[in-house]
Amino acid sequence: MSRDLIAKPLTAEAFAPFGDVLEVAESTPDKIINQGMCGRHHDRATLDFSDGQAGLSLFDSKPRDLPYAVELVERHPEGSQAFVPLNGVPMLVIVANDLGDRPGQVHAFLSQPGQAINLHRGTWHGVLAPYQAQGQYIVIDRIGAGANLEEHWFDTPWVVTEIATDTSPAEG
Amino acid sequence: MSRDLIAKPLTAEAFAPFGDVLEVAESTPDKIINQGMCGRHHDRATLDFSDGQAGLSLFDSKPRDLPYAVELVERHPEGSQAFVPLNGVPMLVIVANDLGDRPGQVHAFLSQPGQAINLHRGTWHGVLAPYQAQGQYIVIDRIGAGANLEEHWFDTPWVVTEIATDTSPAEG
C-alpha cells in the first residue's frame, strides 16, 4: 500500500465526517439583516468545548509545500477547533478516520481562499499547514483545564505528493 | 457640535474600551507549537456569552463608502461578538461610549487586512460595514434564547467623512 496522498479540493460534503466547512459559495443565508445589506449564514459549525469555554487565539505559521510529509496527527478529545484564514492563505488540511485508539485512513484536502473550517471534537488531524505562504489564522478552540491533546506518530509517514484539480472521491 | 467623524486607524490601544483587536503585528506569541513552525497567540479576546453558547456564523455584506452615514447603533446585552475577515476586506468599525440607557460619543475606526475584532458584551456598535468591497466575515457570537439586541436610532446621523492616516487621539 502506498503512503502517498493526493490533496482533494475542500468541500463541505467531502469534509463532513471530520468537520464543517464555512463558505459563502456553498451556502444560502438564513436571514437578511442590516436593512437588507447583509446575509447571515447562522450557526454553521458544531462547536463543543465540553467543560471548557470558547477562546479566540491567533496562529501564525510557516508555509508548507509539496511533497508534504505527514509524520504526526493529533486530536483534542475535549473540544472542537476552528481555523479562519486571516490573510487569505489556503491550508493543507490533513484528517484521518478514527480506529478508536489510533488513526486509520488519512485524507488530505486543500482549502480555498474564502473557506474556514471547524474540526469536530476528537477528530484526528495534522498540524496547521499554510500552503506556500506564511499564514495567519484565528483559531476558535477550547480554553480549559487538562492537556486535551493526543498525538499519533506514524512509523511510515504519509506524503502529500499532488494537488487534485477535481472533486472525485478520495482514494482509499 | 459637528456630527462628522474621522475614521482612525484601528489599534488595540485605541479600541480597548470597546473590545479586542487580534493581529500578529501587535502581539508576541505565548507559545511556539508544531515543532517550531507556529506561534500561538493564546486566548486574546474577552468572550462572554452569558447563559448561551458560542456559535460560528458567516456574514456576507455589501460594501460601504464615504461619506458613511451612521443612523443606528446597536448592542447585544447578553454577549460579545467577534468579526474575522474571511476575504481580506477592511471594516469601518463604529462604536460608542455608553451613557447607561443610550450611546454617547461615537467613534469610527478603519481596520486593516490581518486584523480581527471582538466587541465586548454590551458595547454599542454600528452594523458590519465592509469598506469599498463586498466582505465576508466569520462571526463568533452568542447562540441562545432571547432577543439579545438593543437598537438606538440617532435623530441626527453621524457621518464618517474622512479616513485618518495617523494614530493621533480621536476627537471628542
Side-chain angles (χ1 to χ4, degrees), chain B:
Chain B
M1 188 185 82
S2 169
R3 291 289 221 173
D4 286 358
L5 290 171
I6 297 172
K8 304 284 180 180
L10 183 66
T11 66
E13 185 180 1
F15 198 63
F18 311 106
D20 312 293
V21 177
L22 293 88
E23 63 180 319
V24 166
E26 295 293 322
S27 177
T28 304
D30 300 281
K31 196 175 176 184
I32 303 296
I33 60 175
N34 300 348
Q35 290 77 53
M37 296 291 277
C38 184
R40 180 176 177 128
H41 307 246
H42 182 69
D43 197 16
R44 293 301 179 97
T46 301
L47 302 185
D48 180 351
F49 306 111
S50 62
D51 62 342
Q53 298 181 48
L56 292 194
S57 299
L58 198 166
F59 282 24
D60 180 25
S61 179
K62 293 176 183 170
R64 308 301 204 284
D65 207 340
L66 303 191
Y68 175 52
V70 179
E71 301 175 314
L72 162 77
V73 288
E74 59 184 40
R75 64 175 172 181
H76 309 296
E78 303 304 328
S80 56
Q81 188 173 44
F83 294 85
V84 184
L86 191 54
N87 69 334
V89 177
M91 297 171 270
L92 277 169
V93 179
I94 308 296
V95 288
N97 296 106
D98 179 31
L99 300 180
D101 61 343
R102 63 190 192 284
Q105 174 68 43
V106 174
H107 305 270
F109 299 93
L110 180 66
S111 74
Q112 296 296 315
Q115 290 182 322
I117 65 167
N118 177 58
L119 295 164
H120 291 159
R121 178 178 173 178
T123 299
W124 291 108
H125 62 278
V127 299
L128 176 63
Y131 185 56
Q132 295 185 327
Q134 182 90 11
Q136 283 101 43
Y137 304 84
I138 295 293
V139 174
I140 301 96
D141 66 1
R142 176 180 177 271
I143 308 297
N148 190 25
L149 177 66
E150 290 176 38
E151 293 185 340
H152 179 92
W153 290 84
F154 295 112
D155 294 331
T156 306
W158 298 78
V159 180
V160 183
T161 56
E162 198 178 323
I163 305 294
T165 54
D166 64 36
T167 57
S168 56
E171 76 287 0

Side-chain angles (χ1 to χ4, degrees), chain A residues 41 43-44 56-58 141, chain B residues 41 43-44 56-58:
Chain A
H41 307 245
D43 196 15
R44 292 301 180 98
L56 292 194
S57 299
L58 199 166
D141 65 1
Chain B
H41 307 246
D43 197 16
R44 293 301 179 97
L56 292 194
S57 299
L58 198 166

Side-chain angles (χ1 to χ4, degrees), chain A residues 7-72:
Chain A
K8 302 285 179 178
L10 182 65
T11 66
E13 185 180 2
F15 198 62
F18 311 106
D20 311 293
V21 177
L22 291 88
E23 62 179 320
V24 166
E26 295 293 323
S27 178
T28 303
D30 300 281
K31 196 176 175 183
I32 304 297
I33 61 174
N34 302 346
Q35 290 75 54
M37 296 291 278
C38 183
R40 180 175 176 128
H41 307 245
H42 182 69
D43 196 15
R44 292 301 180 98
T46 301
L47 302 185
D48 180 350
F49 306 111
S50 62
D51 62 342
Q53 297 179 50
L56 292 194
S57 299
L58 199 166
F59 282 23
D60 180 25
S61 178
K62 294 177 184 170
R64 309 300 204 284
D65 208 340
L66 303 191
Y68 176 52
V70 179
E71 299 176 314
L72 162 77

Side-chain angles (χ1 to χ4, degrees), chain A residues 74-81 121-123 125 148-150:
Chain A
E74 60 185 39
R75 64 176 172 180
H76 309 297
E78 302 304 327
S80 56
Q81 189 173 43
R121 179 178 173 179
T123 299
H125 62 278
N148 191 23
L149 177 65
E150 291 176 37

Side-chain angles (χ1 to χ4, degrees), chain A residues 60-130:
Chain A
D60 180 25
S61 178
K62 294 177 184 170
R64 309 300 204 284
D65 208 340
L66 303 191
Y68 176 52
V70 179
E71 299 176 314
L72 162 77
V73 289
E74 60 185 39
R75 64 176 172 180
H76 309 297
E78 302 304 327
S80 56
Q81 189 173 43
F83 295 85
V84 184
L86 191 54
N87 69 335
V89 177
M91 298 170 268
L92 278 169
V93 179
I94 308 296
V95 288
N97 296 104
D98 179 31
L99 300 180
D101 61 342
R102 65 189 191 283
Q105 174 68 43
V106 175
H107 305 270
F109 298 93
L110 181 65
S111 74
Q112 295 296 313
Q115 290 182 322
I117 64 167
N118 176 59
L119 295 164
H120 290 159
R121 179 178 173 179
T123 299
W124 290 109
H125 62 278
V127 300
L128 177 62

